[in-house]
Amino acid sequence: MFISYFLTCQAGFGLSQVMSTEKVGKSPWGPNDEIGTLNLMSDQSRLEVLSHVRSGKIYDLSVEYFVGMPSFDALGDPAYQFWMTHTPKGTLIDNPNGMGEGMNANVSYTGDAISMYTHMGTHIDALNHFGLNGKIWNGFSADEYLGDKGWKKTGAETIPPIIGRGVLIDILALKEVDQLPENYRINSSDLKSALERQKTKLQKGDIVLIRTGQARHYEHADQYLGNYPGINLDAVKWLVEEQQIMLLGADNLSFEAFPPEREDNWVPVHTYLLAEKGVMFIEQMNLESLAHDGVYEFVFIGSSLKLRGASASPMRPIAIPIN
């Protein structure tokens, strides 16, 4: 489980004595920037990619939310909860609206509520999710900008609706296996080989989605949480620094592989992307239908809830094939 990896790292690495030399990045889009590489998106870029749509077929890239779904409750975060607030029978008995038995028998009333950790299901991580030495992307410090009601900078409410060219990189298909090895680290060579196999090329400003195959186990939390394949630093550095992608996503629990690949940072991919480079990413996606149909290039459309001050927000992204 995820928590066992963290405890192992804490004991083995002596984290209390580790001093990191990493620093948060300063935005090339100015001192007030809160969205990082999403600044690569423009009216022109959105119109350009939408002009290539030739089909009305839509792929839903999100998972369902349900009681018992995979979660980070081992780290102390709340599991997904769902409860009824009103039922047709309960309304008859309680008469909460004061309308009486006749009205409540005629009009069936159902209501419900949820409670959840923001990093559950298909969600996008905001740039405040992980930082370095008390600061997040663009030098915003927790001392100055983190209040009791969330971050005053880079909260999930700042994330704009996202439209761009999406590319699927199917690592499971590349390896020709039913399951990646336990905790497999996807490297840049894997990404290049998969793109060559798919006859797909990346472009500046792309939204890159990586398939590990873990989404197939999403309905069974024990299987989904028992294996942590994911991307490594070498791979994300190639995507960000050489390919200049805009946004990343994957179908696994927490994007990067665990246990961590470095001794001085238990989430080095997270801090590199969010804190150093201003690159957001989407976790716990469902990429199976895209992979099944061999759809590697598409219009990506995604919009998240505007949760003020939050470090993540649920998202329901879709893909529309192009070319």
Side-chain angles (χ1 to χ4, degrees), residues 25-36 39 127 137-140 153-154:
K26 295 290 187 178
S27 175
W29 294 282
N32 296 317
D33 173 47
E34 300 182 56
I35 63 171
N39 282 289
L127 294 180
W137 167 251
N138 217 9
F140 300 124
K153 294 288 186 180
T154 73

Side-chain angles (χ1 to χ4, degrees), residues 202-206 237-245:
L202 297 181
Q203 300 173 12
K204 179 180 179 180
D206 276 349
K237 287 183 176 181
W238 179 75
L239 287 168
V240 171
E241 297 174 20
E242 296 189 36
Q243 303 303 306
Q244 298 181 281
I245 55 86

